[in-house]
């Protein structure tokens, strides 16, 4: 969807959208309509009980005097907050995406709508319009998306600037959704890397370690997972240096497909495991957003990319591997592979860059879905201030987080009889013990947070700003965290 800003309403017939908010509909909000259309709209709104809630839509047809194809009142809620504006924009897209209409004219002339509010309305519209159609070849014309342009008329002068920044976040979310949506025969470690190469055009420095380089560095945990696959592993490093500061690391779990390995998963639902790289996708999307809007932050995004498969060379339950940290791990369950990938990625970034803050994102445990469902992601942290910053960013971006505990008694559960630790210790508190496994690879003086996003990466029900499928969870969160916690210093 192409977005543009103009001063006056174009003459050609189009759907004209008027965003309306507040307690009740006022004549003055419809000042851009002729008198007759205004009266009729007021009456129609009353008889339809149109109450201006965010995302409600009232569609009418104007009299001869107006060239509009239709007039659409779009409710934006009582106080015009960001969430309501995004919800309204999303509702607009959902309604008109495949309606046969190609353009929407959003007329805010004379309305008390700020540039920032316009940008959030557009963000909602663009995010809700995202879809992946590249594998469809037999579609009836009327099923195809028709909407390709949104023209904003009469917005505040700062709307364009606000949209320029926010559209970079929309691009990052779209990129993450694309990576999450692609099937594992298309998206595997090497092709994940190739798709991220375009970030170089935005000024992101890209470094890739192949499996041989990782072997030389001693990344036995990550490579132990990869050895059951024909697809070689990669470590993708994306660096955005928008400020002269010590870097902060975002680390993502990028298991491009998780069969479970020899501890193989049941067949039902296994196709979902194409999105076991949602953490890596969030990191890539966030790097795109930050570089796109030239964020004044120094961030290193690291994606540990492997495929977890059960072939003749796969690792076995009971195998002992040595991670890059030098610590040994008894692989009790080859399906607890995410932590094996993350621990080496996290060790690498601490040894290679002077990072004092790490945020990792991973579709790590099924248990987090039992705990928090699909509403919010689990947050674990060794530092209260960092946890607070992430919680605040989550609330502001609507990529919501809920903090769960760490503790010595939980940590003890991953002690192994034969090695320094084991990668699985059964069901009780398994999201927490997974977090402790990662924590054992983080230096004491490094602030660290782990986000278990297994429940929030993919959805079977449409939401305010997404259709069913990939949500892009984490991109807006990390962008907001960077904006509020890193850029404001
Ligand atoms: N990728 C899965 C976690 C997952 C499960 C994400 C379901 C989304 C939906 C992870 O690699 C895994 O298999 N975790 C196991 C760990 C267990 C073997 C300790 C789990 O949560 O069951
Ligand atoms: Mn697994
Ligand atoms: Zn997994």
């Amino acid at each position: 969807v192409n977005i543009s800003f103009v001063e006056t309403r174009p003459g050609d017939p189009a759907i004209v959208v008027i965003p309306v908010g507040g307690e009740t509909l006022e004549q003055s909000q419809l000042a851009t309509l002729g008198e007759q259309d205004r009266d009729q709209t007021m009456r129609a709104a009353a008889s339809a009980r149109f109450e201006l809630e965010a995302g409600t839509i009232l569609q009418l047809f104007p009299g001869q005097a107006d060239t509009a194809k239709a007039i659409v009142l779009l409710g934006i809620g009582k106080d015009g907050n960001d969430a309501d504006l995004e919800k309204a924009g999303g509702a607009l897209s959902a309604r008109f995406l495949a309606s046969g209409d190609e353009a929407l004219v959003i007329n805010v002339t004379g309305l008390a709508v700020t540039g920032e509010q316009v940008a959030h309305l557009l963000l909602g519209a663009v995010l809700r319009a995202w879809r992946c159609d590249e594998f469809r070849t037999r579609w009836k014309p009327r099923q195809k998306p028709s909407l390709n342009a949104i023209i904003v008329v009469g917005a505040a002068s700062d709307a364009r600037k606000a949209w320029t920044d926010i559209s970079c976040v929309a691009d990052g979310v779209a990129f993450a959704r694309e990576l999450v949506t692609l099937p594992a025969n298309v998206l595997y470690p090497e092709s994940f890397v190739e798709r991220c190469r375009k970030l170089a055009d935005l000024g992101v420095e890209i470094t890739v370690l192949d499996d041989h380089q990782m072997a030389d560095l001693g990344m036995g945990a990550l490579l132990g997972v990869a050895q059951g696959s024909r697809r070689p592993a990669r470590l993708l490093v994306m660096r955005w240096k928008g400020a002269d500061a010590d870097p902060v690391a975002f680390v993502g779990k990028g298991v491009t497909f998780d069969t479970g390995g020899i501890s193989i998963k049941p067949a039902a639902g296994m196709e979902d495991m194409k999105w076991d790289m949602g953490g890596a996708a969030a990191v890539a999307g966030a790097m795109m957003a930050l570089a796109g809007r030239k964020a004044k932050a120094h961030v290193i995004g690291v994606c540990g990319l492997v495929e977890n498969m059960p072939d003749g060379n796969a690792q076995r339950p009971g195998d002992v591997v040595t991670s890059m940290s030098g610590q040994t791990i008894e692989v009790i369950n080859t399906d607890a592979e995410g932590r094996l990938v993350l621990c080496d990625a996290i060790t690498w970034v601490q040894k290679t860059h002077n990072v004092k803050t790490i945020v990792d994102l991973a579709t790590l445990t099924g248990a987090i879905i039992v705990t928090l469902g699909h509403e919010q992601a689990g947050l674990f942290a060794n530092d209260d201030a960092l946890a607070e910053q992430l919680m605040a960013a989550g609330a502001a971006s609507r990529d919501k987080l809920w903090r769960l505990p760490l503790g010595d008694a939980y940590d003890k559960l991953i002690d192994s009889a034969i090695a320094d630790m084991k990668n699985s210790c059964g069901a009780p508190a398994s999201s927490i013990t997974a977090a402790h496994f990662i924590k054992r690879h983080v230096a004491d003086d490094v602030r660290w947070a782990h986000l278990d996003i297994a429940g929030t990466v993919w959805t079977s029900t449409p939401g305010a700003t997404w259709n069913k499928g990939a949500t892009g969870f984490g991109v807006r969160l990390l962008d907001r965290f960077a904006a509020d916690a890193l850029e404001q210093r």
Side-chain angles (χ1 to χ4, degrees):
V1 184
N2 177 46
I3 307 286
S4 56
F5 295 87
V6 299
E7 290 306 320
T8 51
R9 208 184 109 184
D12 32 294
I15 307 268
V16 175
V17 180
I18 305 176
V20 287
E23 294 294 336
T24 52
L25 186 62
E26 309 284 349
Q27 291 263 358
S28 61
Q29 292 177 292
L30 306 178
T32 52
L33 297 178
E35 200 180 320
Q36 268 193 349
D37 289 334
R38 190 162 58 227
D39 288 348
Q40 214 192 331
T41 305
M42 290 301 289
R43 276 187 280 133
S47 83
R49 286 201 183 170
F50 179 75
E51 286 171 346
L52 292 74
E53 301 105 315
T56 51
I57 285 175
L58 180 71
Q59 184 170 357
L60 318 112
F61 298 93
Q64 304 251 301
D66 197 319
T67 56
K69 232 166 116 182
I71 294 167
V72 169
L73 295 195
L74 174 66
I76 59 170
K78 290 210 187 328
D79 58 358
N81 62 58
D82 293 354
D84 276 353
L85 280 145
E86 288 167 19
K87 191 173 173 189
L92 200 58
S93 276
R95 170 72 179 75
F96 289 103
L97 190 59
S99 62
D101 296 296
E102 291 180 5
L104 293 176
V105 171
I106 302 181
N107 194 355
V108 296
T109 307
L111 299 176
V113 181
T114 66
E116 195 69 29
Q117 287 176 313
V118 168
H120 280 278
L121 182 76
L122 292 171
L123 176 63
V126 168
L127 290 181
R128 183 62 180 80
W130 184 86
R131 45 192 298 141
C132 171
D133 292 332
E134 65 177 274
F135 303 110
R136 299 186 188 279
T137 71
R138 296 287 186 278
W139 249 22
K140 298 189 186 75
R142 60 173 300 161
Q143 296 175 304
K144 285 196 186 136
S146 52
L147 186 66
N148 58 36
I150 297 178
I151 302 153
V152 182
V153 182
S157 57
D158 57 347
R160 200 184 299 256
K161 162 104 183 55
W163 173 244
T164 305
D165 277 1
I166 287 186
S167 71
C168 296
V169 181
D171 291 345
V173 172
F175 185 46
R177 287 179 182 175
E178 170 190 315
L179 295 169
V180 165
T181 304
L182 290 173
N185 61 331
V186 175
L187 195 82
Y188 42 91
E190 291 164 288
S191 63
F192 188 112
V193 168
E194 289 318 309
R195 283 185 185 251
C196 290
R197 293 229 182 252
K198 66 179 175 195
L199 297 194
D201 299 341
L202 299 172
V204 175
E205 177 194 302
I206 299 208
T207 311
V208 183
L209 302 192
D210 67 19
D211 41 344
H212 305 290
Q213 291 165 304
M214 288 191 275
D216 290 345
L217 290 166
M219 294 192 190
L222 184 152
L223 291 172
V225 178
Q227 79 187 32
S229 171
R230 304 285 288 266
R231 309 282 197 194
R234 293 288 183 268
L235 193 81
L236 167 64
V237 187
M238 294 164 284
R239 178 170 182 209
W240 169 249
K241 193 159 192 263
D244 230 341
D246 286 344
V248 166
F250 296 156
V251 181
K253 168 180 173 181
V255 176
T256 57
F257 196 81
D258 180 14
T259 63
I262 296 300
S263 313
I264 199 162
K265 288 180 181 294
M270 201 201 276
E271 69 279 7
D272 279 352
M273 286 300 109
K274 74 171 181 181
W275 49 258
D276 208 17
M277 30 54 69
V283 170
M287 297 310 294
M288 178 181 270
L290 295 176
R293 65 176 184 77
K294 304 214 178 323
K296 292 186 186 59
H298 186 185
V299 179
I300 297 178
V302 183
C303 298
L305 300 165
V306 302
E307 187 181 53
N308 189 21
M309 297 287 276
D311 95 339
N313 191 47
Q315 67 181 343
R316 292 146 293 259
D319 281 5
V320 174
V321 297
T322 305
S323 69
M324 187 182 178
S325 72
Q327 299 176 95
T328 57
I329 300 159
E330 182 187 10
V331 180
I332 295 288
N333 188 322
T334 65
D335 196 12
E337 84 297 340
R339 64 202 77 181
L340 300 171
V341 173
L342 284 172
C343 73
D344 277 341
I346 283 177
T347 300
W348 181 87
V349 79
Q350 290 171 104
K351 287 196 175 174
T352 313
H353 296 279
N354 186 32
V355 294
K356 288 285 169 273
T357 302
I358 297 175
V359 180
D360 80 70
L361 296 91
T363 50
L364 205 64
T365 65
I368 203 72
I369 308 177
V370 178
T371 309
L372 298 172
H374 305 285
E375 300 309 316
Q376 31 198 341
L379 160 67
F380 300 85
N382 67 359
D383 182 276
D384 292 343
L386 177 61
E388 288 298 326
Q389 289 172 331
L390 286 163
M391 286 290 287
S397 67
R398 264 94 57 213
D399 281 352
K400 282 181 267 173
L401 303 176
W402 192 258
R403 192 172 179 188
L404 293 164
L406 295 164
D408 291 343
Y410 294 116
D411 180 78
K412 233 169 109 49
L413 298 175
I414 58 172
D415 286 342
S416 159
I418 185 175
D420 296 333
M421 69 195 83
K422 53 188 174 188
N423 77 328
S424 165
C425 53
S430 72
S431 302
I432 302 177
T433 52
H436 271 288
F437 184 98
I438 301 169
K439 184 170 182 287
R440 288 201 188 190
H441 297 83
V442 177
D444 287 337
D445 64 340
V446 171
R447 302 196 309 164
W448 159 77
H450 157 60
L451 312 181
D452 193 334
I453 62 173
T456 52
V457 157
W458 191 264
T459 172
S460 55
T461 47
T465 55
W466 58 83
N467 202 342
K468 54 188 176 198
T471 60
F473 187 97
V475 174
R476 299 187 60 188
L477 172 82
L478 292 177
D479 175 74
R480 190 67 187 229
F481 169 73
D484 292 350
L486 307 181
E487 294 187 68
Q488 297 298 307
R489 274 189 297 215

